[in-house]
Amino acid sequence: MRRLSGVGNLGRGEIRRASRAAELRTLYKNYSNEARRALARSGLWLAVPVYVLFLITDLIFIPDVSSVTIPARFLIGGTSLLVLEIQFSRGRRAGELEATCAAAVVLGYVVWLVPALQTANAEAFSYYAAFGAIFMMGVNLFFSLEFGLAIASSGLIFTSFLLSLIEFHYSPAYCLAFTTFYLCCFVFTSYVNWKLNKERFNVFLNAREAELQQRQATERGEALLRLSITDSLTGMENRRAADIRLKQFWERWREDGVAFAVLLVDVDFFKKYNDYYGHQEGDHCLVTVANALSDIVAPLGATVGRYGGEEFIVILDLERGADALALAEAICHGIEDLDIVHAQRLDGFRHVTVSVGATVVRDVAGTKLENVINEADRALYSAKASGRNCARLFDPNELPGGDASENIAAILKIAVQQNLVSLVYQPILYLETGEIGAYEALMRLQLLDGSSSSPAVFIPIAERTGAIIELGYWAIRRACCELLFRDIVDTVSINVSPIQLRAPGFAAQVAGILAETGVSGHRIAFEITEGVDMEIRPDVLDSIQDLKKLGIKFWLDDFGTGFAGLSWLRLMDFETVKIDKSFLHDAADNEGAKVLLEDIIGLVRNRGHRILVEGVENEKQLDLVKSFGIDAVQGYHIGRPAPPLKHPIAMRQAGRPRLQASA
């Protein structure tokens, strides 16, 4: 029974293989149909004139019957072309056109052979008969006929020749020689035709496989693209996609004058909501707000995306500020109507609300794309300063930032002199050696009341007021004195602002600091943040080149968060590329995000840069990045930002743990 069962299974396998082969043959015929139709048509149009031109040899070898053979040539040739053109115009399949070609060749031979046998020039015709092999070669080699049709056609030609020998009663030696000649032509040309057909089919299979692989690669690329521009929580477009949309709207406005509006929507007191109700409820809140926001703006054809943690962006064609403000107010009312309870607010409301800042692009001198976002952000700040749960339209006459911003701006002017700024250092672990080989210097600001200000708050203000220039020089000097001069660590990375790189004499000032502190430039890395829409200007590139001459290395920070990273990778030879922590956090529990992270690492590695992954916060994430074979990691699991230790020896010992200790 087992043996019978095995035979049965084998039979079913053979049937499936045979069925698969038949499907491939059918697919091959369908795939090559148009090409074969064109080849059959062009082939017959070439063959008929050549066939007709052989009337010259008729006049030479068999002139007594040429009055019959020559009209026969024109008749067969003309009729064949007429039938073929009718078939072609009616869209007949390639097989029918090829059958017409085969019939034309066979009839062309037979219709010429029959009257030619009546010639009185027997000796001349005995040599002339050898030309019949050309017809056999034509059906097997000249036309791309299928093997069966070619065999049948050349077989009819061979048979017709054998029958002609009976009519002429040639000598046995002649019959044997010419029969052997025709037989060899039949065998050889048939074999070549079989090989050609097999090769065409193999070429089709290879092309089909390549096509399928290309389609799979395209589909995977599209999936990766969708993943890279889609927010994993809300399913709407993420910041990267929003930046791309912004650029498209901007270019359309510059080229065609189509005005657009930008609205920034921020969930009020979301951190308190998240801390009190938990991250799961916080995520549910964001998804609910995102869906409601999409429903409100969808009828207007607007682009909507998640622009930050609890911040959303809306972009749409609008010319009037009043219309943008009306939409912003509608968004506020729509979210408030959701009645999502938020009991931890301290402003009297007990439901989730949003603040909205809006702006419409304006044609003013020196306007840039980033100005549009800054205007919407200033309008959003104004809405928050007005008590939240409201909308504000950007007012160019309003002082930027409000009182709090102005207070910080004033503090930044005296921060260095009053020792209100300090540096903390976050360790960077090199996986190959298992040692802390570098630290990133991070700036902190203490306010006059003893509280601290977030870098996300005071750094933009410092950039806007120009205070970042003095703070930057201070940070470089302090990092050199606290760590590098004492030889506590090999490398310190320091963030640099676009404003610093554009500042006249920046490289010369850095050179002076290095000379003053006795530190080699090779031990400093300047980090350029990809998320910053920094203009790739000649003066910036010149400044970078001057700094690189000092030995200073450049790292690309937060790779993947903006839309300028690939441009910078193309223009600059970064020593290290730091991949933004969001990719690692998403990859920990999402297979698609893991594939995206792996592809990003592959892209950077192929460019020859060292790779550092940020945001390693647990052992699982550390094991994941180890599996990718990257060079270095940074995050709370490796070490939190902290001020330098008092004793250099202790700092050195603490700063160079082995991999096991860091875990």
Side-chain angles (χ1 to χ4, degrees):
M1 290 299 291
R2 287 182 183 175
R3 186 174 300 172
L4 289 175
S5 176
V7 171
N9 291 334
L10 179 61
R12 284 192 292 272
E14 291 175 345
I15 291 173
R16 282 194 296 270
R17 286 193 293 272
S19 175
R20 178 61 177 164
E23 291 176 2
L24 285 174
R25 285 289 176 183
T26 302
L27 185 62
Y28 168 62
K29 290 181 179 180
N30 294 334
Y31 185 84
S32 61
N33 182 64
E34 286 303 317
R36 288 167 54 206
R37 273 167 44 88
L39 283 174
R41 188 188 191 194
S42 60
L44 192 62
W45 271 99
L46 180 61
V48 166
V50 174
Y51 173 67
V52 171
L53 283 175
F54 266 89
L55 62 86
I56 298 173
T57 55
D58 287 352
L59 293 173
I60 295 173
F61 292 107
I62 50 174
D64 55 331
V65 294
S66 61
S67 59
V68 178
T69 59
I70 291 174
R73 288 180 184 275
F74 280 99
L75 176 64
I76 293 299
T79 302
S80 300
L81 289 176
L82 178 61
V83 172
L84 183 80
E85 286 301 315
I86 292 174
Q87 290 177 317
F88 193 88
S89 63
R90 293 183 177 180
R92 300 297 186 184
R93 295 189 62 80
E96 296 184 30
L97 274 65
E98 290 171 349
T100 298
C101 294
V105 175
V106 174
L107 287 174
Y109 179 70
V110 173
V111 171
W112 165 81
L113 181 64
V114 171
L117 290 173
Q118 310 305 317
T119 182
N121 301 306
E123 184 178 359
F125 182 73
S126 67
Y127 300 112
Y128 191 25
F131 282 80
I134 295 175
F135 293 87
M136 191 180 301
M137 295 177 186
V139 292
N140 278 320
L141 305 180
F142 182 74
F143 293 98
S144 300
L145 303 182
E146 292 185 349
F147 182 66
L149 181 60
I151 284 288
S153 304
S154 58
L156 287 174
I157 294 171
F158 185 31
T159 302
S160 300
F161 169 75
L162 293 177
L163 292 175
S164 71
L165 296 178
I166 299 173
E167 175 68 20
F168 253 84
H169 306 290
Y170 289 118
S171 67
Y174 175 89
C175 293
L176 178 61
F178 267 73
T179 299
T180 304
F181 170 69
Y182 265 78
L183 179 61
C184 289
C185 287
F186 173 78
V187 173
F188 291 154
T189 58
S190 298
Y191 174 74
V192 173
N193 175 272
W194 175 74
K195 291 287 289 183
L196 287 174
N197 274 288
K198 183 179 180 181
E199 186 62 28
R200 291 188 194 103
F201 184 66
N202 288 336
V203 169
F204 158 74
L205 292 179
N206 292 334
R208 183 65 177 170
E209 182 179 2
E211 181 182 339
L212 291 175
Q213 290 176 349
Q214 177 64 29
R215 185 185 303 170
Q216 291 172 353
T218 301
E219 291 174 352
R220 184 181 180 186
E222 291 174 350
L224 286 173
L225 177 61
R226 285 193 300 271
L227 187 62
S228 68
I229 62 175
T230 302
D231 178 58
S232 59
L233 176 63
T234 62
M236 60 172 47
E237 294 182 347
N238 61 12
R239 179 164 187 157
R240 185 181 295 106
D243 286 336
I244 295 172
R245 297 281 192 185
L246 268 173
K247 200 168 185 179
Q248 292 171 347
F249 274 85
W250 174 262
E251 291 174 352
R252 191 160 61 109
W253 175 67
R254 299 287 294 187
E255 295 173 3
D256 304 325
V258 180
F260 66 95
V262 175
L263 287 73
L264 291 179
V265 182
D266 189 86
V267 180
D268 297 326
F269 299 106
F270 180 73
K271 185 179 185 305
K272 288 185 175 294
Y273 185 96
N274 213 32
D275 292 343
Y276 182 75
Y277 294 102
H279 291 286
Q280 187 171 358
E281 282 299 317
D283 290 347
H284 182 264
C285 173
L286 289 177
V287 171
T288 304
V289 171
N291 292 337
L293 181 59
S294 298
D295 292 340
I296 293 170
V297 302
L300 303 175
T303 291
V304 58
R306 188 181 178 193
Y307 208 56
E310 67 271 17
E311 189 173 76
F312 301 88
I313 187 170
V314 178
I315 316 168
L316 75 162
D317 292 331
L318 274 181
E319 295 184 358
R320 299 172 62 245
D323 294 334
L325 181 59
L327 176 59
E329 291 174 344
I331 291 172
C332 289
H333 296 318
I335 302 304
E336 186 178 3
D337 291 342
L338 294 175
D339 284 337
I340 303 175
V341 176
H342 187 352
Q344 295 304 300
R345 294 178 61 142
L346 304 176
D347 58 355
F349 288 95
R350 287 295 179 265
H351 296 86
V352 169
T353 60
V354 295
S355 299
V356 184
T359 187
V360 176
V361 65
R362 298 172 298 115
D363 193 3
V364 296
T367 183
K368 299 176 183 178
L369 174 58
E370 57 265 29
N371 292 348
V372 180
I373 291 296
N374 289 338
E375 290 177 0
D377 194 55
R378 285 171 58 182
L380 176 61
Y381 184 92
S382 177
K384 290 182 176 181
S386 300
R388 293 182 169 84
N389 190 26
C390 63
R392 290 293 182 268
L393 182 67
F394 171 72
D395 182 0
N397 298 317
E398 182 180 349
L399 292 176
D403 293 339
S405 176
E406 295 303 318
N407 290 338
I408 292 177
I411 291 172
L412 289 173
K413 293 180 181 180
I414 61 171
V416 174
Q417 292 77 10
Q418 298 294 327
N419 293 322
L420 297 176
V421 284
S422 60
L423 291 182
V424 293
Y425 301 92
Q426 185 169 23
I428 296 172
L429 176 70
Y430 289 93
L431 295 181
E432 183 177 358
T433 62
E435 294 183 348
I436 300 298
Y439 281 84
E440 181 182 5
L442 302 168
M443 191 178 297
R444 297 292 185 259
L445 175 66
Q446 180 180 341
L447 302 181
L448 295 177
D449 61 0
S451 63
S452 60
S453 176
S454 168
V457 175
F458 75 81
I459 293 295
I461 298 174
E463 291 178 334
R464 188 174 71 242
T465 60
I468 193 67
I469 302 296
E470 182 184 3
L471 291 173
Y473 293 141
W474 172 88
I476 296 170
R477 181 178 289 104
R478 180 57 63 92
C480 288
C481 293
E482 289 184 339
L483 295 188
L484 298 179
F485 175 75
R486 303 178 184 180
D487 197 26
I488 293 173
V489 71
D490 295 330
T491 303
V492 171
S493 69
I494 305 168
N495 291 279
V496 293
S497 164
I499 298 173
Q500 293 171 264
L501 292 174
R502 290 198 294 262
F506 178 68
Q509 289 283 352
V510 173
I513 294 173
L514 295 178
E516 173 189 336
T517 58
V519 172
S520 170
H522 295 85
R523 302 179 64 191
I524 295 179
F526 282 167
E527 296 192 19
I528 298 176
T529 301
E530 188 214 323
V532 176
D533 185 18
M534 178 160 42
E535 292 180 319
I536 306 176
R537 305 188 333 181
D539 55 344
V540 172
L541 295 177
D542 290 342
S543 177
I544 291 173
Q545 290 305 317
D546 291 339
L547 291 166
K548 293 180 79 170
K549 290 177 183 177
L550 298 174
I552 292 175
K553 299 182 285 288
F554 278 83
W555 295 2
L556 183 59
D557 193 17
D558 294 339
F559 182 75
T561 60
F563 52 84
L566 292 179
S567 298
W568 277 105
L569 284 181
R570 178 174 57 85
L571 289 174
M572 274 192 61
D573 184 21
F574 288 96
E575 194 266 351
T576 297
V577 173
K578 300 177 69 174
I579 297 176
D580 186 70
K581 63 183 180 181
S582 60
F583 293 97
L584 174 61
H585 294 173
D586 291 341
D589 301 306
N590 186 307
E591 192 62 27
K594 181 179 178 181
V595 172
L596 176 60
L597 175 59
E598 188 173 6
D599 287 346
I600 292 174
I601 290 173
L603 169 66
V604 177
R605 181 177 287 124
N606 290 338
R607 293 285 301 174
H609 308 289
R610 300 183 72 179
I611 302 171
L612 187 155
V613 175
E614 299 173 299
V616 176
E617 296 180 355
N618 53 55
E619 190 68 19
K620 179 181 178 182
Q621 293 174 349
L622 180 60
D623 291 338
L624 178 61
V625 295
K626 284 182 186 177
S627 68
F628 291 138
I630 56 95
D631 301 288
V633 292
Q634 181 180 9
Y636 287 171
H637 188 60
I638 308 304
R640 293 176 177 269
L645 301 181
K646 295 181 179 180
H647 303 288
I649 300 299
M651 180 69 176
R652 181 178 300 171
Q653 292 173 348
R656 297 177 181 268
R658 290 290 172 181
L659 181 60
Q660 292 84 349
S662 68

